[in-house]
Structure formats: structure tokens, C-alpha cells
Amino acid sequence: MSDLLVVDGISKSFRGLRAVSRASLTVPKGGIVGLIGPNGAGKTTCFNMIAGVYKPDEGSVTLDGRRIDGLRPDLICHAGVGRTFQIVKPFKELTALDNVMVGALHTESDTRRAKREAEAVLDRLGMLEKRNQPAGQLTLPERKRLEVARALATKPRILLLDEVMAGLRPTETDQMVAVFRDLNQREGLTILLIEHVMRAVMALSQQVVVLHHGEVIARGDPQAVVRDPAVLECYLGEEAEI
Amino acid sequence: MIAGLYERLLDGVPRRALLLLGLLLIAMLVAPLLVDPYLLSILILVLYFAYTGQAWNVMMGFCGQLSLGHSLYVGLAAYTSAALYVHFQLPPTIGALAAISISMAFGAGIGFLAFRFGIGGTYFALLTIAFAEFTRVGFDHFAWVNGSGGFFLPVEQYTRNDVLNLRGRPVMFYYLLLALTVAAFVFCRWLLTGRIGYYWQAIREDQEAAQTLGINTFRYKMLAVLISSGMTALSGVFFAFYYNNLFPEQIFNISRSIELILGPIIGGLGSLFGPILGAFVLTLLAEGLYETLHGLGYDIPGIKHVFYGICLAAVIMYLPHGIWPPLRRKLGLETRQ
Ligand SMILES: Nc1ncnc2c1ncn2[C@@H]1O[C@H](COP(=O)(O)OP(=O)(O)OP(=O)(O)O)[C@@H](O)[C@H]1O
Ligand SMILES: [Mg+2]
């Protein structure tokens, strides 16, 4: 299988703090890769570099053979990367449907057709009955799902999910997992997900990459990685979560 | 094509809203037959603020870019069309094109500077004020249009209305403004229901999220400024030919910029009917207050501005989204989905 996303040795420092240090990872076409690590490990910063919020200090990001590092976020969306924000960014005054329509209009300039697409995406995430609610009135788990819906509506080739299961009840987590598995298997959507909820990571990922203090300390098969002593060490004190 | 356009403009609009709009339009069409010249001049003012407020709303209400210097576009367009008319006898209906171009060029300059260098929020607002102020100072020394001494259009007693040259009686200006206001309303509805409207609102709500969804925020913010400044230019052409005298000190004044944004803020930022409602409420109440006090023998200078201030404070405290959203709910005119 060829790689859709190749992240090669990217680093980012904030005023001397090295948030990400020479991190590399690859996501195969049609694959699901989990990116885990303790708080402050640099996971979101990695996403921000892939999605164009920050230009990496060094290293490169390649999507299907094309360099995308340093491009503007909207151009990276054009290239086929969709992302959600860990700290959700809903368009508060717009309804849930209009939020998703903004995403759908990326590939469909006709508003009536975009509306139908947006409705289909909302339906898929179990949010259809909320479509006329202003996004500012949704609960946090609903806003997380709205983030996913909006990104999905742009029809990305790879979806970057930043802790979208946080705060969900176990049954809701299982529903979300089922949605992503379905998208992956039926539509071939490639997914890179940051997640603290190990239940979801283990259920979805074919491969896991572990980040600690900005560096990749382990990678590979999920079952093997969670037994890796170095991984267990870095999670010490947070062990309950694993 | 036409059917699709029709459908797009009316999609989700309740019957009642159309009915009420139709009634309002009819009332506005027959109003000049029923009112005295003084009331007509007030209605002209209402329409002027409704139209200009709508133009400003495109930038702030739709796209979230606060301009506190829209008097710049009014003034530039007023001077351009007036100077072309006086110096070259160019009819303002044609001069308007030049006026629109110049206003848009200045808008493009401000937009480019601000958006290219990431100037947003308060700093963007300050930049718009600065441009209006610089231009005012420039016009104070612009001999071709008589500098601070003021620029005047020849006036005579009009027996007939010459629409091409915008020479005529107030009623002609009234109908022209009414047509402009209706056209702007429909045009803005068209914008809001299209991709551009969704993109603007996304930028207004959260620029970073908008960009992540593939929106070229620079381009769409530029479009908002260009469309808004172009629309505002027509207010300037009207201003020049209705009032027939232009002073840089007045027309570019920041108080003029503030005056024209009060309507949309009080009516309802970002809504289509807000600027129209706001213009009616503010202008009629302010004039009413003025006349009442005047009738009682009080002439208090600046009373209108005090009144504007009170209205603004009241709306910001009690109705942060303006009068229109709660009124719309009361009237049962919420859009269907
Ligand atoms: N814009 C920024 N400016 C300064 N420091 C930052 C910035 N963004 C992140 N950091 C710092 O970089 C480090 C990595 O942060 P990051 O958000 O990438 O971690 P994370 O792995 O996503 O953590 P979490 O699991 O808590 O979301 C942290 O120490 C954080 O404080
Ligand atoms: Mg994070």
C-alpha cells in the first residue's frame, strides 16, 4: 500500500520550547493511524503543521507525493486534508446545517445541492434533528460531532481528528467508532486521529504512533505499542487511562 | 436561470414576510402623494440611511469587518461625480461609474493593506478612520474642487425632472433612492443565499475555522470591501446632487461614518431587514423628538446625537442583536428550513 501522508522530520519551537522535535509518521492510503501521547506531547502542534496553521521549522509534509508544508490552510484543504479542532470552533451564530454547508460548498457551489449534501453528512453523524439549532447552543459532544461533519463535508482524502471522542459516553464513543470505520471501509477515507480514549484508538487504528515531549518514542501495532515499556513509562501517572 | 434565481431568493421565506414586504413597498410608493415636503425630506433621509446602512452591513454584518470610515466612500464618490459634472458636464448617471471605481479603488487599497498584513478587529477599524481623515485633509487642499471652501453644484428652480443629470425635485430623488434601496435589498439577499454569503459569515464567526474549510479569507474579505465601497459610492452621488454642496470637513467627517452605521446596528447587524428598520426607527424618532422639542420652544443643539447615543446604548444593553430578530419572532417571520 502506498502512503498518502508522509510527515518527515518536522519540528516546531515556541519561544524556545521545542513542542515537536523531528517527528516522522506515515499514513497509508485507506489506513487509520492513531497518534497518542500524554498531555503537552505535541500532538496538536503536529496537526497544526500538517494543516498549515504553522510552517514547520524543519522537515517536510507530503500528501500523495506533493509537498504541502508551509502552504496556507485553505490550500491544504484544497489539496485534500480535512481537520477538526481540539478546541472546537463552531460558527456560533449559524445553524448546525449552515455550519456544515460551509464545508459542503467547498466542492459544490450550488447551495441547494450543498444543502442536501450537508444534510446527508449530519444524518450520518446522528445530528440531523439538530440541524436548525444555532451551533452556539449545542452541547460540547454535539459541537465535536459538528466539527467532524463540517470537515467531512469538504470531501477530504485524509481526515485529521483531534480528540473528537473526548467527553463522549462509552456508547456514544462506540457509535462514533462505527461511523469512522464505515467511512474508512466503504469510502476509503484515510484517517489520522489523536485520541486519549484508548477504547477508540484500539478499536480503530491499524497503527499507532506515540509522541512524548515532541519526539516519536514508539510506533507500530496498537497491541504491541501499549505494552512497550517506554510508552508505559511516559504515561506513568496517567496509567489509569490506558 | 430566472426560475432558479427566483427560487434561490425566495427559498425559506415565509409568505407573510413577502406579504408584509409588498405592503411596505406599496406604502413607500404612494407615500410621496400623501405627505408634505417636510415629511418627504424625512423619508428621503430614511431611505438614504437604509441604503447606505445596507451597503455598510455587507462588510460588517455579513463578513465581520468593522469599518468606521465609510464617509470616505460617500465623500470620494460625491466629489468625483460632482466634479465631473461641473467641470466636464458629464451626467452623474455616467459619472457614477467613475465614482464607484474610485471608491472601490480606495476600498481595495485599505483592504489590501489590512488583510495582507493581518490587521484585523480594532486596528482595522482604526485604519478605516485614518484613511477617511487623510482624505479629508487632502480634499481641504484640493484646489480643483475648491478645497476647504466647498464645492457647489449649480441649482435652479426645477419644473421638470431630468433623471439623466439628477436635476429635479425631491420626489425624483425619493423614487431613485427607493429603487436603490429595493435593489440593494434584493442584491444582498442574493449574496447571502450564495456561496459568498456562507463564506462571509464563516469568516465573521471564526476566521481560522473558515480557512480550514478551504476559504481564501483574503479574497472573500476583499470582495466584501469592494462590494460595500462600490455600493456606498452611489450614496455619495446621491448626496452630491441632492444637497448640491460639498465640504470636506463635513462629508468625510467621522461623525458621518458613525451616523450611517447606527441604523444597521440598532436594526440588527447582519440581517437583511435590520438596516431598513434601523433607518426608519432612528430617523423618524430623532426627527420626531427634534420637532416636538422645537414646537415646545426648545432648540437644543446636538440633541439628535444625544438621542442616537441613548438608542445605541439601550440596544446594545437590551437587544444585542438589534430590534429586528425579536421583532421578526413576534411577527412569526422566521425563515423555514
Ligand atoms: N501557540 C503556541 N504558543 C506557545 N506554546 C504552544 C503553542 N501551542 C502549543 N504550545 C505548547 O507546545 C506543547 C505541545 O502542545 P500541543 O498542544 O501540541 O500538545 P498536545 O499533545 O496536543 O496536548 P493535549 O493532549 O493536552 O492536547 C505544549 O507545551 C504547549 O503548551
Ligand atoms: Mg492537543
Side-chain angles (χ1 to χ4, degrees), chain A residues 43-45 86 162-163 194:
Chain A
K43 304 179 295 291
T44 299
T45 305
Q86 179 178 359
D162 198 344
E163 296 197 28
I194 296 176

Side-chain angles (χ1 to χ4, degrees), chain B residues 52 55-57 59 65-75 128-129 132 224-225 228-229 232 251 256-258 260-261:
Chain B
T52 320
W56 176 82
N57 198 38
M59 237 171 104
Q65 307 303 307
L66 175 59
S67 165
L68 292 178
H70 256 48
S71 63
L72 170 67
Y73 310 121
V74 176
T128 61
I129 297 177
V225 178
S228 180
S229 56
T232 308
I251 199 160
R256 280 286 157 75
S257 297
I258 303 293
L260 66 85
I261 76 177

Side-chain angles (χ1 to χ4, degrees), chain A residues 133-209:
Chain A
Q133 273 208 25
Q137 291 173 10
L138 298 175
T139 64
L140 185 61
E142 285 166 351
R143 290 183 200 203
K144 294 239 165 191
R145 276 189 280 174
L146 187 65
E147 282 280 322
V148 178
R150 217 167 50 175
L152 260 183
T154 65
K155 302 205 185 86
R157 305 174 64 192
I158 181 167
L159 185 60
L160 312 182
L161 300 169
D162 198 344
E163 296 197 28
V164 290
M165 320 256 187
L168 295 191
R169 286 189 289 268
T171 49
E172 291 170 322
T173 304
D174 292 344
Q175 280 166 14
M176 278 283 243
V177 165
V179 169
F180 292 131
R181 188 175 283 146
D182 189 54
L183 281 164
N184 175 253
Q185 282 171 0
R186 280 213 254 163
E187 275 146 60
L189 181 70
T190 307
I191 297 173
L192 175 60
L193 84 156
I194 296 176
E195 200 53 69
H196 279 299
V197 181
M198 287 314 282
R199 183 190 178 88
V201 178
M202 300 307 278
L204 279 171
S205 318
Q206 293 136 11
Q207 245 202 72
V208 170
V209 176

